[in-house]
Amino acid sequence: MTFILIAAGAIICAVMAIRAGRLLTSALWLAATSALVALLMYMLGAPEVAVIELSVGAGLVTILFVFAINISGEEATNLKSALPKPLAWVSILIFFILLGYFSLPAFLQPLPEAQIIPLKTVLWEYRSLDVVLQAVLIFAGVLGLIGLLAEEKPGQEKEHQA
Amino acid sequence: MTLSISEIILITVILLLGIGFYGLLAVRNLIKVIVSLQIMVKGMMLGFVLAGRLAGNVSLGQSLAILVIVVDTIVAIIGLALAVQIRRYAGSLDVKALTTLKR
């Protein structure tokens, strides 16, 4: 019952994040979704990733959203849909059917025996390349951010105008 | 009919992915597009943890979910920085107003 309540809460928060009229409200609903998903992860027996999701997904990313909305300003979000609504709904229906078709057979197979391997062993020994990739991605992200948000120097502006 | 925990989580994953996908298709504000993308990724992270649990190796699912969190955060940062710059130069966050392919 607890699982159903939390899962329903996460889905309602996600719907509200899409439907919210203001961008700031949308960001706050997203943070609530993130917190509830983290709670589900914790209850599934994955506490490490739940903590990271709660601090990064619900904390850092929300702050970034609020910061970005503060800089760019609120704008009307209740614009007409980019795609015709019937086409969007048909796409969603096809998406659900395909996802169900590919994921449900996993439940019909007998489950393998549980292996208890500590996370640090998996992370640092089996999937060490992932850790290197994460470090590279973080550096690439920081460099990309510096490049995107860099202010033009006065000299460069003149060069562009010339 | 009682649903098992795995079935409840699977339904949640599918619904979160569907809601995010609908947002990507229907929403026109650039920041809301990033919100939709975040919702999809949250569903996928939950899916990784569930897959790890079903396969009997939760740690593997957790390590993949951590990778997804890092990638997702970087995507959000770069996307928001792009949105700020686009707003600064184009004056709008409407994705339809930004396209130059169809007039």
Side-chain angles (χ1 to χ4, degrees), chain B residues 35-102:
Chain B
V35 169
S36 309
L37 207 60
Q38 290 274 319
I39 291 172
M40 278 190 92
V41 172
K42 285 188 198 323
M44 212 52 250
M45 268 188 285
L46 200 57
F48 272 128
V49 175
L50 175 68
R53 187 184 150 111
L54 286 178
N57 192 350
V58 183
S59 298
L60 185 60
Q62 283 200 81
S63 76
L64 288 173
I66 290 170
L67 179 68
V68 173
I69 289 173
V70 171
V71 174
D72 172 48
T73 310
I74 290 163
V75 167
I77 290 171
I78 298 290
L80 288 172
L82 270 173
V84 168
Q85 292 294 62
I86 284 170
R87 169 77 181 189
R88 195 175 287 170
Y89 288 103
S92 172
L93 286 173
D94 182 4
V95 285
K96 218 166 185 179
L98 297 173
T99 181
T100 54
L101 292 175
K102 196 176 81 176

Side-chain angles (χ1 to χ4, degrees), chain A residues 7 18 20 48-49 53 56 64 72 75 80-82 85 92 96 107 111-112 115 117 119 127 137 145 148, chain B residues 10 12 14-15 22 26 28 32 36 42 45 54-56 59 62-63 67 71 73-74 77 81 85 87 93:
Chain A
I18 300 284
E48 290 93 347
V49 79
E53 169 60 19
V56 175
L64 284 171
S72 63
E75 198 172 301
K80 209 178 154 198
S81 170
K85 280 267 166 77
I92 300 296
F96 277 139
F107 285 84
L111 295 178
Q115 302 167 309
I117 308 171
L119 180 64
R127 306 204 58 88
L137 279 171
L145 194 65
L148 273 172
Chain B
L10 182 69
T12 312
I14 291 176
L15 282 175
Y22 175 77
R28 277 171 56 178
K32 273 211 162 176
S36 309
K42 285 188 198 323
M45 268 188 285
L54 286 178
S59 298
Q62 283 200 81
S63 76
L67 179 68
V71 174
T73 310
I74 290 163
I77 290 171
Q85 292 294 62
R87 169 77 181 189
L93 286 173

Side-chain angles (χ1 to χ4, degrees), chain A residues 118-142:
Chain A
L119 180 64
K120 63 179 181 184
T121 313
V122 173
L123 203 60
W124 294 106
E125 290 178 20
Y126 299 165
R127 306 204 58 88
S128 53
L129 194 62
D130 281 2
V131 180
V132 177
L133 185 68
Q134 284 170 31
V136 171
L137 279 171
I138 290 169
F139 277 115
V142 170

